[in-house]
Amino acid sequence: MDNNSSLNSAQQEAVETIGGPVLILAGPGSGKTRVITHRIAYLVKTCGISPRHILAVTFTNKAAREMSARLEALLGEAAKDLSLGTFHAVCARILRQKGQEIGIDPGFTIYDDDDQISLMKRAIMDVGIDPKQYTPRVMLTRVSNAKSQLITPEKYSDMAHSYFEKMAQQCYKRYQILLSQSKALDFDDILMKTVELFNERPETLVRYQTRYRHVLVDEFQDTNITQYELTRQLAGKYKNICVVGDPDQSIYTWRQADIRNILKFEKDYPGAKLVVLEQNYRSTKTILAAADKVISRNQQRKQKSLWTENEKGTPITVVETADEQEEAQFVVSEVEKLVKEHVVSLKDCVVLYRVNAQSRALEEAFLRFGVPYRLIGGTRFYQRREVKDIIAYLRLVHNPHDTVSLRRIINVPQRGIGQRTLDDLLGWANQKSIPAYEALSLAARTEGDIPLAPRSRKTLVDFYDMLKRLVDRSKDLKASEMLDLVIEQTAYEKYLLVEEDGEDRWENIKELSTVARKYDYLDPPDSLTTFLEEVSLVSDIDSYDENADAATLTTLHQAKGLEFGAVFIVGMEEKVFPHARALPPLGDPTEMEEERRLCYVGITRAKKRLYLVRAGRRTYLGNTSNNLPSRFMDDIPQELVKKTGGRPEARTSSWASAPPWKPISPLGTPVANPPPTALKLELRPGERVRHEKFGNGIVVSTSPLANDFQVTVAFDAVGVKKLILSYARLEKIG
DNA sequence: GCCTCTGGATTTTTT
DNA sequence: ATCCAGAGGC
């Protein structure tokens, strides 16, 4: 089935329009990945273009891997000669090869978020301002935004008018100096410096332009200005550029992704061929119609009409539960039901939420019911303290100038090098303008005039000796051998195991060791270098294993690009989704439109079944609130929906039944925690009540609320209040 | 230098 | 609720 004749006419046009710029607007489920892979196969097989001359850029490693696997199926061995990778991976490779031309050390280290924060903190202190007032996070956002738009510290200073902006500019400048002293680049630098390299070395650009005669870009709606410029540079000579995207699925504008790049594309490449893929092969008519209704409310968008030949399918299930526990319980029991009835398999179920914090109640329910699940996101593997520690050692061995890593591990495990000694050492290094590693070496050899107590000096000497041994050995050890040596030399296992959760942490280190072993097929020092590079550029979603027999829990953002038989979107409430930060007065209409696109992305992940679930009461960040149903619910026409477990049709005050869905345990035994018993309302409008805080009042009205009631009371002293019956502890009087 | 307590902040995060 | 950083005590 995988030949071009199985493509629809629009897909075929997208595949076979070769030579010159092509813009493909691909709706969800429209066979985007198929089009890209077939286009590449067509270039190679039919047009006789060498795979060496083709570059395909994706946003995630996972997408790159998936594409690579499909191309291998289509092209066989020839697929190995294609250049295929993420923007960052491609640029990192270019910079390792040619970065020296603009003064970048080929052995540069890549700094992740945490590293950037600690470096920025130092930059802020160096500038001499208060890191409490100017937080590293905020400053870093400024810097990252600037870099995403190719704004250098120099250019930034032209735009910095307010005092705050001027401070940000200072921090940016200092931050860059610290980065270069550490021979490190942050994520944004990897892209921006590549653009810089191409600007400053036209002859180098020409080499890459000639090499990459055909450029393809996936998820084009998510490119920022820097990435756009990069593709413009690379395709500048032949203009054989094909970009694929969907403006309606742009959910990363907060990371400076710029939808306007699509408009700019049409302007920068006059006569670009436009292909629109509107046939959806994924979802039922019902699901697609709901998605369309939701996204149609956006003002800033190009009209697009998706259609499908798939069946109408079942109605969308809308569920209202009492609280997040009940919400989670509903999801798990429904998942079990779907699996038991063979509607979908377990691994074809996903639960999507707006913020990671929502995963907790869900995890608890999945655990309690004994339903296997896998969680994507949250605290990421490579962000775990113990994993970062070991990687810091390896990085330091690979690049001794990396001060962020040095600071991280110089006293881990504790070896008596405290803040004081560290400040003395680094302060001295700074004063002498020598790298920290060199200062350490001098201190160890009792050279130089470092003001150190003999005791401190001794600890530094021991540390330096160990580091030196590691560095020396790194030249002939593979990644996993190096890792083992680090663990042995630092007695890291012993250090971990005395801790409370040391066993788990040690497991993570063993896991890391397994990853490292995958790079042992390379010879030293490439083995370690490649390992470190890839470890810096991975994300959680990359390790998502679609074959594991488990349901998936993840954020709406991370679900992009995936599809599932059954999708549960939970927390369909105002302030949760759309997120409070997108609502006025905090947010603006642009942000609300992005939330709406996020909802569109969520809905369109579903093939057969879609559930929209909300809780009447939710505890978040330690306080409980009652949220209104999400505005996105209002956009879905009633005829597409079937309601369960919520408000009864007739509003009778005696409504007090258990939820219509029955929790089922895997073994058919009662669940450990049955849903809370429904309350009985015994209050009627006109009755006098007493509240411990608000005093006496009169009941104005009552209304049922999932498993609870909302009671409106006019208090004598404090006026009208809306209360939740189970919480208010109202007492009837008179 | 190390330990413990308190206060502040906590959207999303392809890389 | 919970995690983390910084301050202050031992």
Side-chain angles (χ1 to χ4, degrees), chain A residues 350-399:
Chain A
V350 71
V351 190
L352 303 177
Y353 37 82
R354 179 64 239 262
V355 298
N356 278 310
Q358 287 172 261
S359 73
R360 201 201 178 99
L362 290 159
E363 275 194 89
E364 281 167 3
F366 272 93
L367 282 169
R368 205 168 67 219
F369 280 72
V371 178
Y373 69 94
R374 111 204 80 191
L375 184 91
I376 308 176
T379 325
R380 302 211 285 283
F381 182 70
Y382 290 104
Q383 255 171 259
R384 287 173 198 280
R385 196 195 73 208
E386 61 280 12
V387 174
K388 285 219 75 176
D389 283 347
I390 297 301
I391 290 175
Y393 272 105
L394 295 175
R395 279 177 169 185
L396 195 57
V397 163
H398 174 248
N399 167 17

Side-chain angles (χ1 to χ4, degrees), chain A residues 687-706:
Chain A
E687 284 182 316
R688 298 276 302 167
V689 289
R690 174 181 292 138
H691 182 274
E692 61 174 4
K693 228 164 73 201
F694 301 141
N696 295 348
I698 185 162
V699 175
V700 176
S701 64
T702 63
S703 63
L705 197 75

Side-chain angles (χ1 to χ4, degrees), chain A residues 216-317:
Chain A
L216 293 98
V217 186
D218 192 12
E219 305 283 13
F220 189 66
Q221 77 281 354
D222 291 330
T223 48
N224 61 33
I225 289 179
T226 303
Q227 287 161 329
Y228 179 84
E229 179 57 20
L230 193 70
T231 59
R232 208 184 60 83
Q233 288 177 322
L234 283 171
K237 191 168 171 188
Y238 297 102
K239 310 259 197 284
N240 289 325
I241 179 168
C242 171
V243 302
V244 189
D246 178 4
D248 287 336
Q249 291 185 68
S250 166
I251 53 174
Y252 285 102
T253 62
W254 53 274
R255 280 284 276 120
Q256 301 301 111
D258 201 329
I259 323 185
R260 286 172 303 178
N261 282 342
I262 291 186
L263 304 173
K264 216 155 77 190
F265 186 87
E266 293 184 287
K267 223 189 273 165
D268 279 355
Y269 302 94
K273 176 82 192 166
L274 174 73
V275 182
V276 188
L277 304 181
E278 290 180 316
Q279 183 175 0
N280 174 294
Y281 295 93
R282 180 184 295 155
S283 310
T284 62
K285 284 196 175 73
T286 302
I287 290 167
L288 203 60
D292 185 63
K293 288 288 180 192
V294 168
I295 198 69
S296 296
R297 295 285 302 265
N298 269 0
Q299 301 295 307
Q300 300 295 336
R301 94 177 259 271
K302 242 181 170 172
Q303 183 58 39
K304 181 166 54 156
S305 41
L306 292 179
W307 58 278
T308 182
E309 283 175 355
N310 291 345
E311 58 187 20
K312 187 167 165 237
T314 20
I316 293 159
T317 310

Side-chain angles (χ1 to χ4, degrees), chain A residues 471-644:
Chain A
V471 171
D472 290 344
R473 297 282 279 131
S474 74
K475 296 179 180 51
D476 45 59
L477 289 184
K478 292 166 188 267
S480 77
E481 295 166 334
M482 200 60 228
L483 191 143
D484 291 341
L485 186 66
V486 164
I487 290 165
E488 183 228 299
Q489 289 284 304
T490 56
Y492 201 84
E493 182 176 6
K494 212 174 119 210
Y495 156 75
L496 274 188
L497 291 181
V498 296
E499 289 186 38
E500 181 128 13
D501 46 2
E503 296 280 352
D504 293 342
R505 291 181 184 277
W506 179 241
E507 283 304 311
N508 289 331
I509 297 298
K510 284 202 270 187
E511 174 67 29
L512 182 66
S513 170
T514 311
V515 177
R517 234 168 285 142
K518 290 189 188 142
Y519 296 83
D520 284 355
Y521 74 96
L522 291 162
D523 290 324
D526 282 356
S527 171
L528 181 62
T529 314
T530 313
F531 169 65
L532 286 176
E533 170 132 346
E534 303 209 352
V535 149
S536 311
L537 298 177
V538 294
S539 75
D540 248 40
I541 188 83
D542 296 334
S543 53
Y544 168 74
D545 167 14
E546 39 224 279
N547 296 316
D549 189 28
T552 303
L553 310 186
T554 191
T555 61
L556 285 146
H557 280 89
Q558 297 210 82
K560 200 180 69 169
L562 304 177
E563 59 174 28
F564 296 87
V567 170
F568 295 80
I569 305 179
V570 297
M572 288 300 292
E573 299 145 36
E574 292 284 293
K575 295 193 214 165
V576 177
F577 187 32
H579 193 274
R581 299 276 264 251
L583 294 161
L586 284 164
D588 60 40
T590 337
E591 286 171 81
M592 185 52 77
E593 296 217 336
E594 180 138 327
E595 295 286 311
R596 197 174 279 286
R597 290 193 295 269
L598 191 56
C599 186
Y600 177 72
V601 167
I603 293 173
T604 55
R605 297 311 93 198
K607 290 196 269 193
K608 290 194 213 164
R609 298 295 177 103
L610 177 65
Y611 294 82
L612 303 175
V613 194
R614 80 172 183 104
R617 159 170 28 94
R618 182 179 299 275
T619 307
Y620 179 55
L621 260 36
N623 47 352
T624 304
S625 59
N626 303 286
N627 300 320
L628 294 166
S630 168
R631 62 189 64 200
F632 305 142
M633 299 280 226
D634 300 341
D635 305 329
I636 301 173
Q638 282 311 302
E639 60 267 27
L640 300 177
V641 167
K642 173 187 74 192
K643 282 201 182 191
T644 319

Side-chain angles (χ1 to χ4, degrees), chain A residues 116-129 131 136 139-140 143 167 170-179:
Chain A
Q116 291 174 42
I117 293 276
S118 66
L119 200 68
M120 180 52 88
K121 203 179 151 207
R122 268 204 289 148
I124 291 167
M125 296 200 292
D126 287 354
V127 166
I129 54 179
M139 288 304 173
L140 211 49
V143 169
M167 290 306 109
Q170 297 275 300
C171 294
Y172 183 8
K173 204 169 131 202
R174 181 69 194 154
Y175 174 78
Q176 289 307 111
I177 291 171
L178 293 176
L179 272 176

Side-chain angles (χ1 to χ4, degrees), chain A residues 168-219:
Chain A
Q169 193 274 337
Q170 297 275 300
C171 294
Y172 183 8
K173 204 169 131 202
R174 181 69 194 154
Y175 174 78
Q176 289 307 111
I177 291 171
L178 293 176
L179 272 176
S180 100
Q181 281 177 357
S182 288
K183 294 193 194 299
L185 299 180
D186 65 17
F187 286 139
D188 301 309
D189 276 344
I190 292 175
L191 307 176
M192 187 172 168
K193 297 280 180 194
T194 309
V195 171
E196 231 172 271
L197 167 72
F198 288 156
N199 276 336
E200 285 178 30
R201 299 285 162 151
E203 70 286 357
T204 303
L205 173 58
V206 170
R207 286 177 57 127
Y208 284 99
Q209 286 174 331
T210 316
R211 165 83 196 262
Y212 300 129
R213 274 170 226 198
H214 293 267
V215 179
L216 293 98
V217 186
D218 192 12
E219 305 283 13

